[in-house]
Amino acid sequence: VNLNKKDIKANIQVLISIVTDIAYKNPRTYPIVAAILSKLVDFLTKTTKEGMIKKILAKFNKLPNTGIMQIWLQRITIKLNNGYKYSEKLCNKVVNKDEIIWNSDWLNAKTKKIISSYNLVNTNTLNQIGAVISNEEVELFDRHPY
């Protein structure tokens, strides 16, 4: 069956719901689902987009151990500048440089200073990414013709 953009836009919220449910039940699909969601959400208007993202976040907040999905969801929402809240420390590090990810109290002062001053977030890359997740970001292996 060939679907055109008109068919997709007419059923966009249903498609988002189905794809979100797939990820909810199968964590192995998080990267691919995030890429699909980013494309589907991109079709929505700004207000509909915000409401839909809040619903997706609320659904995953009910599920324990979804830190990786939160990182992918932040990747989807990072260009929207809406201040979505994530419980994952790595997500908070993106918006707050001073976020402590690992307990490094046991290190000597010199090493501790080096680790705490290192910025894990590459702001150049962050500025260059688009709203839609590219295939290269989610591909597990490079495709080489053999």
Side-chain angles (χ1 to χ4, degrees):
V1 176
N2 291 332
L3 291 175
N4 58 33
K5 284 187 179 183
K6 183 180 174 188
D7 292 332
I8 291 173
K9 286 184 179 184
N11 297 305
I12 198 90
Q13 292 181 349
V14 174
L15 292 170
I16 290 171
S17 177
I18 292 168
V19 171
T20 301
D21 200 44
I22 290 170
Y24 189 80
K25 294 179 180 176
N26 188 355
R28 297 177 80 187
T29 64
Y30 287 173
I32 298 299
V33 164
I36 294 168
L37 283 174
S38 72
K39 185 64 176 175
L40 293 174
V41 166
D42 196 48
F43 286 121
L44 299 172
T45 63
K46 185 176 180 176
T47 54
T48 310
K49 192 180 294 189
E50 290 172 4
M52 187 58 66
I53 289 171
K54 285 180 183 178
K55 287 179 184 178
I56 294 168
L57 292 173
K59 182 164 184 132
F60 281 100
N61 283 337
K62 297 176 193 173
L63 198 60
N65 304 318
T66 57
I68 295 192
M69 188 59 182
Q70 286 187 26
I71 292 168
W72 281 109
L73 290 171
Q74 184 182 41
R75 168 59 186 89
I76 294 170
T77 62
I78 196 77
K79 290 296 185 173
L80 299 177
N81 299 325
N82 265 0
Y84 295 102
K85 302 292 181 198
Y86 300 93
S87 60
E88 177 61 36
K89 287 184 178 186
L90 287 174
C91 291
N92 294 328
K93 184 73 171 177
V94 173
V95 293
N96 179 10
K97 181 182 164 188
D98 298 325
E99 177 74 24
I100 298 171
I101 297 176
W102 301 285
N103 180 359
S104 54
D105 292 340
W106 56 276
L107 296 171
N108 65 38
K110 182 179 175 185
T111 308
K112 188 176 176 181
K113 184 177 179 181
I114 291 170
I115 289 176
S116 64
S117 67
Y118 184 77
N119 189 6
L120 295 174
V121 180
N122 186 332
T123 52
N124 291 334
T125 302
L126 197 58
N127 292 332
Q128 292 173 355
I129 61 173
V132 176
I133 298 174
S134 67
N135 290 343
E136 292 80 27
E137 290 180 74
V138 295
E139 283 181 348
L140 195 53
F141 302 103
D142 289 333
R143 294 184 191 176
H144 294 289
Y146 292 104

